[in-house]
Structure formats: C-alpha cells, structure tokens
Amino acid sequence: MLMWCLQINDCWPVTSWAIVDYFLRPKPAYFTIKRELRPFTVGMTRKEKKTYRDELSAAFFTIDTVLDIWGTNSTLVEKKATLEVTAFDLHSDWTEQWSKEVTLAPNSSTELYSGALPGQPQRTKLSEVPKTIIVSARLLDGNEVLGRYSNWYV
C-alpha cells in the first residue's frame, strides 16, 4: 500500500506528515517531493573538514568547507546537460558563477563537483564564524531547467 508514502489522510487542526491538506491543497512538502521525483535532479551538500597539523596534537588545525554536487538521471539513456552554479554572500555584494558541461549516467547519480566552497576562507579557530554563503545549482538543457537546488547554511 502506498498510503505511507502519499499520506493524504490529514489530521486537522494539528501538523502532520501529510503532503496535502483536507481539501487536497498541496502543502510545502509536496513541492519538494515533486521536485525530487523528476527524471533529472541536482543535489548538493557541504561539510566542514578539519585537518590537524600534527597527528599527536589537536591544538593546531585548519577547517575547510567542502562542497559536493551531484546529478541524478532516472531515465535509461545518458543525458548531456550544463551545470550552472551560482554562489553569493548573504551579507555582502560578493558573487561567483560558473558552469560546465556534464553527462548524467543512465539510471544513476553522477558526481558533478567536489571541492572547496567558493568564497569561504580557510579557518584556523572554531571561534571564527564562517561566511554565510548561499549556493544555487541548476541543470540546464539549452533554456530548459531540468533540475535545481539551493543550499543554505546560516
């Protein structure tokens, strides 16, 4: 039974796991699920990587923020697309944009980028507050947007 997946039996007036309300109006989760069930999607994550200068001491280290971007293809044929990435600082005028041609393998996910988060400097103390960098990625086929994702870490 797919009821656990769709969960359309809403329990008014409290919050629930339903993706639509009693009147079958979509809730915000509906649009997230709809986006992730498309044939082509893009996703990303960022992680902080702490590297110690000496393996015998935890006193001196560097913290780098690593950004990973992947694309998924649910069809049975490979897809050529353009990955467009835009990054900007929430508290300044700094922006960076780049794009590259990618090929999504059929019926699988493909790593598209793994590297330093643009605009995020290397930190040497936990007390140093990281910059508020927003990253947006789009998979494009000409002018058609195949998939999109935004990564906020504030």
Side-chain angles (χ1 to χ4, degrees):
M1 197 74 141
L2 279 171
M3 197 53 151
W4 68 270
C5 181
L6 297 177
Q7 191 71 46
I8 59 173
N9 55 340
D10 203 2
C11 51
W12 184 84
V14 299
T15 59
S16 72
W17 289 98
I19 61 173
V20 295
D21 67 8
Y22 176 82
F23 300 104
L24 298 181
R25 295 176 298 204
K27 289 180 162 185
Y30 168 84
F31 299 101
T32 302
I33 294 169
K34 180 182 174 186
R35 182 182 67 232
E36 292 302 318
L37 290 177
R38 294 180 54 111
F40 307 102
T41 64
V42 63
M44 71 178 87
T45 186
R46 68 175 87 185
K47 296 178 183 168
E48 291 186 347
K49 180 182 173 190
K50 190 186 286 189
T51 307
Y52 295 97
R53 188 169 70 189
D54 181 13
E55 64 182 35
L56 300 177
S57 173
F60 302 103
F61 56 86
T62 58
I63 302 172
D64 296 304
T65 306
V66 178
L67 178 69
D68 291 319
I69 303 175
W70 64 89
T72 60
N73 178 357
S74 299
T75 67
L76 299 177
V77 294
E78 73 176 24
K79 179 70 173 173
K80 295 190 181 305
T82 302
L83 173 66
E84 181 183 270
V85 177
T86 305
F88 59 93
D89 187 354
L90 196 58
H91 302 293
S92 73
D93 292 336
W94 176 87
T95 61
E96 183 176 318
Q97 184 173 7
W98 55 270
S99 62
K100 74 176 195 174
E101 299 299 315
V102 296
T103 302
L104 299 175
N107 197 30
S108 65
S109 62
T110 306
E111 182 178 302
L112 303 177
Y113 174 80
S114 183
L117 177 67
Q120 192 68 266
Q122 188 178 65
R123 297 181 291 144
T124 56
K125 299 176 189 163
L126 291 174
S127 61
E128 292 176 338
V129 179
K131 289 186 175 181
T132 308
I133 306 290
I134 312 303
V135 183
S136 173
R138 297 190 311 166
L139 277 177
L140 304 170
D141 183 15
N143 289 331
E144 180 185 3
V145 177
L146 302 175
R148 60 188 167 79
Y149 189 86
S150 293
N151 183 280
W152 294 68
Y153 186 76
V154 284

